[in-house]
Amino acid sequence: MADNLSETLKKLKITTFDQTEDSLEGCLDCLLQALAQNNMETSEKIQGGGILQLFASLLIPQSTCTARVANVIAEVAKNEFMRTPCVDAGLISPLVHLLSSKDQEVLLQTGRALGNICYDSHSLQAQLINMGVIPTLVKLLGIHYQNTALTEMCLVAFGNLAELESSKEQFASTNIAEELVKLFKKQMEHDKREMIFEVLAPLAENDSIKLQLVEAGLVECLLEIVQQKMESEKEDDIAELKTASDLMVLLLLGDESMQKLFEGGKGNVFQRVLSWIPSNNQQLQLAGALAIANFARNDGNCIHMVDHGIVEKLMSLLDRHVEDGNVTVQHAALSALRNLAIPVVNKAKMLSAGVTGTVLKFLKSEMPPVQFKLLGTLRMLIDAQAEAAQQLGQNVKLVERLVEWCDAKDHAGVMGESNRLLSALIRHSKSKDVIKTIVQSGGIKHLVTMATSEHVIMQNEALVALALITALELGTAEKDLESAKLVQILHRLLADERSAPEIKYNSMVLICAVMGSESLYKEIQDLAFIDVVSKLRSHENKSVAQQASLTEQRLTVES
């Protein structure tokens, strides 16, 4: 065999252009046979024999050998060490040109060759995209959809190319959505559908393609799969149900596609999704809750859903997952409730429905994603709802848990949300009892630290809460404010040129408030606040300048 191969390589190298097509075909068949028996060794010999450079000139549309040449390249490029030599031999450009061939075998082997050469190389795949292969392949899929092998070649190529961000715009300018949905409707076999799903998922991350897929009728296909597979216990069916429902949720992440499917809350899709929530299938419960969270990214939708009983459905779902529940379902249902609580008109309705009671059942959760959504939901619900803020702010278990989570340094999101909720309980309740509960639970130091946050909104929330504490319960909080070094922090915020105007303003309001404490006032005197404050009288922000004058007067009078 080795002798035969050497002979064949010599034969190929000598007079490539003078050989008859029959003779060339014989050589190529011999190469394909050798590759089938020992791909790696044969590939090494092809590279060593300088044969790759000859292939570029053999890749011509009118030759009967073209498909065989492309096939040899495809086989050789299965080896990682051969991919760069294929590129260096200049094979990519002639292969791309062959994609306009009408010969189905040439198309198939060309697609395989390009796919293998560019496998796992983002830079080579990007080069193909720049050479315009995407519209060409989409066109091929439309023309040759009855050729299984060609269809699969296109799908594999799409799957690889769709992962590159640069491909999305090109895909969006073709009718890929229409072609894939058409193909999907024809497929009955699980494996074939799986291949299409692998292309749809990365493509559906693009908003304009999401809308095209919705308009092409993909959602109806997905709903049908869910309907067919929801009772099945077969592994393939369970996997397909998950893929279909996940893809459905992904389509709802686009604003236009989501609104199109919501149809004012009367749409078939929205109604079907609602029916998943009370289901006994946890994958459908999860997909249903995530879908509602996505529909709830628009105030009008939120108001409609709350008025039509969605909150009770979500509460009932959460109740089923309190003890050893599914964490992803808990997280999804809490996300939905948080989004629904954003419009002002929904807050009171959700509070009277008893949402806080349901949410508080998850206080014992040790899962940061659940903790994060739980905190966000409560914070949205109490916004400008004084009675609810007062009630929650006196819940010792809640406040103690918040104080504990304010130290969750491994989970910045949970830590930030805990601080914000602690501050919100004070700001919205303006209640002495809430402040006392927070002081007794050790929450003051966290609010003082929050005033140094890198986020202006959090700094501001902390300063407003601290101003209320000093106005309503200075005596109770005095020691904690002192040990948390509040006065030094305020001095630093006022002296820092980078502090936002509202931070400077609220820091001065707070300075005036803490003067009522003897020990804190002594610290103010020791730090020569008057120098920092007097400089702010000429601040470009009028409110800051006015507050600086008032604060300077207070400091002068008190001294």
Side-chain angles (χ1 to χ4, degrees):
M1 185 71 203
D3 291 345
N4 280 352
L5 180 59
S6 302
E7 201 56 42
T8 302
L9 292 174
K10 266 187 211 163
K11 211 169 166 189
L12 253 176
K13 205 163 182 190
I14 306 163
T15 64
T16 298
F17 301 105
D18 302 336
Q19 288 178 41
T20 63
E21 295 221 332
D22 287 349
S23 162
L24 202 51
E25 281 175 17
C27 290
L28 291 166
D29 286 341
C30 188
L31 275 188
L32 286 166
Q33 210 176 339
L35 283 163
Q37 286 175 7
N38 190 332
N39 193 310
M40 192 177 284
E41 192 184 324
T42 307
S43 296
E44 282 171 349
K45 288 192 173 168
I46 288 173
Q47 187 191 358
I51 301 299
L52 286 177
Q53 285 70 14
L54 304 177
F55 286 159
S57 61
L58 295 174
L59 291 167
I60 46 176
Q62 52 273 41
S63 167
T64 56
C65 297
T66 305
R68 282 181 178 81
V69 178
N71 192 357
V72 171
I73 297 168
E75 290 303 314
V76 162
K78 284 179 177 176
N79 302 293
E80 195 177 339
F81 70 90
M82 289 298 291
R83 289 169 194 157
T84 304
C86 284
V87 175
D88 294 343
L91 298 179
I92 287 187
S93 188
L95 283 167
V96 168
H97 285 123
L98 284 178
L99 289 174
S100 56
S101 170
K102 290 187 169 55
D103 184 316
Q104 297 190 20
E105 187 59 23
V106 169
L107 289 170
L108 178 61
Q109 300 306 340
T110 301
R112 286 184 62 237
L114 283 169
N116 290 349
I117 293 171
C118 302
Y119 180 75
D120 222 16
S121 165
H122 284 346
S123 61
L124 288 177
Q125 289 168 0
Q127 192 179 323
L128 288 184
I129 291 165
N130 291 336
M131 292 171 86
V133 300
I134 288 173
T136 307
L137 287 171
V138 174
K139 208 168 169 183
L140 289 182
L141 183 67
I143 297 166
H144 301 291
Y145 64 90
Q146 283 171 317
N147 181 326
T148 308
L150 255 182
T151 298
E152 286 184 13
M153 180 275 287
C154 287
L155 289 174
V156 170
F158 293 149
N160 290 327
L161 298 174
E163 287 180 17
L164 271 77
E165 205 43 55
S166 59
S167 74
K168 303 289 201 297
E169 218 167 291
Q170 268 201 37
F171 273 119
S173 67
T174 69
N175 63 336
I176 183 78
E178 205 179 308
E179 293 298 349
L180 288 174
V181 173
K182 187 168 78 181
L183 196 62
F184 193 83
K185 285 176 179 171
K186 289 191 174 73
Q187 296 302 339
M188 291 299 127
E189 293 169 51
H190 170 76
D191 292 350
K192 300 277 166 48
R193 279 180 170 180
E194 200 59 40
M195 280 187 87
I196 302 172
F197 272 138
E198 279 169 20
V199 179
L200 287 168
L203 284 180
E205 286 167 10
N206 175 279
D207 280 359
S208 57
I209 299 176
K210 278 188 184 82
L211 187 59
Q212 288 170 21
L213 288 168
V214 167
E215 287 172 341
L218 178 62
V219 174
E220 288 70 19
C221 299
L222 298 176
L223 288 173
E224 203 173 311
I225 289 173
V226 170
Q227 199 61 38
Q228 288 166 2
K229 313 289 179 185
M230 61 198 300
E231 303 297 334
S232 174
E233 288 176 16
K234 279 161 54 182
E235 212 170 300
D236 279 356
D237 289 348
I238 292 168
E240 205 168 336
L241 173 81
K242 180 179 182 340
T243 310
S245 53
D246 284 349
L247 186 52
M248 178 83 199
V249 171
L250 186 55
L251 292 174
L252 291 173
L253 279 170
D255 288 337
E256 278 189 88
S257 51
M258 179 268 286
Q259 278 307 90
K260 192 170 181 66
L261 294 172
F262 189 66
E263 290 183 75
K266 295 179 177 67
N268 174 43
V269 176
F270 175 64
Q271 297 303 327
R272 291 280 281 279
V273 162
L274 274 189
S275 72
W276 296 352
I277 293 174
S279 145
N280 289 323
N281 183 312
Q282 289 197 359
Q283 171 57 31
L284 285 187
Q285 293 172 3
L286 171 63
L290 287 172
I292 296 302
N294 285 339
F295 281 128
R297 295 200 321 278
N298 166 302
D299 278 7
N301 295 0
C302 287
I303 293 163
H304 180 279
M305 286 192 280
V306 168
D307 287 345
H308 288 80
I310 192 66
V311 170
E312 289 73 12
K313 284 186 171 68
L314 290 167
M315 284 163 60
S316 162
L317 176 61
L318 280 168
D319 279 337
R320 294 165 70 181
H321 288 275
V322 175
E323 298 301 327
D324 306 318
N326 181 317
V327 172
T328 54
V329 175
Q330 293 172 358
H331 178 260
L334 288 166
S335 296
L337 286 173
R338 181 201 172 278
N339 289 358
L340 289 166
I342 293 171
V344 178
V345 294
N346 281 357
K347 297 180 197 294
K349 291 173 187 172
M350 290 175 72
L351 288 166
S352 63
V355 172
T356 51
T358 300
V359 171
L360 289 172
K361 289 174 187 172
F362 295 90
L363 261 187
K364 57 189 173 185
S365 172
E366 293 303 328
M367 305 305 291
V370 174
Q371 296 167 351
F372 180 71
K373 288 298 177 185
L374 172 154
L375 292 163
T377 306
L378 291 177
R379 188 166 64 79
M380 286 301 154
L381 281 168
I382 63 164
D383 189 10
Q385 305 296 312
E387 197 181 319
Q390 176 147 5
Q391 209 175 347
L392 285 175
Q394 289 174 259
N395 181 326
V396 177
K397 273 189 186 167
L398 169 63
V399 175
E400 284 176 351
R401 196 70 162 132
L402 291 183
V403 170
E404 184 190 326
W405 286 339
C406 283
D407 268 327
K409 293 188 171 58
D410 292 344
H411 301 287
V414 173
M415 192 165 80
E417 276 294 343
S418 302
N419 278 298
R420 293 190 76 186
L421 182 52
L422 211 52
S423 153
L425 291 169
I426 294 167
R427 288 183 296 109
H428 297 304
S429 71
K430 300 181 176 58
S431 156
K432 290 186 172 198
D433 293 330
V434 169
I435 293 168
K436 282 176 186 164
T437 306
I438 289 171
V439 172
Q440 282 156 13
S441 303
I444 296 297
K445 64 178 180 184
H446 295 297
L447 289 169
V448 175
T449 305
M450 184 183 168
T452 64
S453 164
E454 58 191 37
H455 304 291
V456 174
I457 192 165
M458 285 178 68
Q459 281 186 292
N460 216 28
E461 287 172 359
L463 291 170
V464 173
L466 289 164
L468 284 163
I469 290 167
T470 51
L472 298 169
E473 278 296 323
L474 182 56
T476 310
E478 186 177 32
K479 279 187 182 149
D480 287 2
L481 292 169
E482 201 176 333
S483 62
K485 303 199 168 8
L486 172 68
V487 173
Q488 289 94 313
I489 284 169
L490 292 173
H491 189 274
R492 206 161 72 226
L493 290 174
L494 288 171
D496 189 346
E497 285 176 13
R498 292 164 303 173
S499 292
E502 59 267 43
I503 301 305
K504 291 188 185 292
Y505 177 88
N506 283 324
S507 296
M508 288 186 283
V509 169
L510 199 43
I511 284 296
C512 295
V514 297
M515 282 187 205
S517 154
E518 206 172 306
S519 56
L520 293 171
Y521 178 57
K522 187 176 184 313
E523 286 185 34
I524 290 171
Q525 286 179 308
D526 294 345
L527 279 171
F529 262 82
I530 222 155
D531 299 345
V532 184
V533 171
S534 61
K535 283 179 190 166
L536 294 174
R537 281 187 312 167
S538 55
H539 196 278
E540 58 188 1
N541 182 291
K542 280 185 182 173
S543 302
V544 172
Q546 283 172 353
Q547 187 57 43
S549 297
L550 289 171
T551 308
E552 190 181 25
Q553 282 170 23
R554 282 289 306 276
L555 288 165
T556 312
V557 169
E558 296 290 339
S559 63

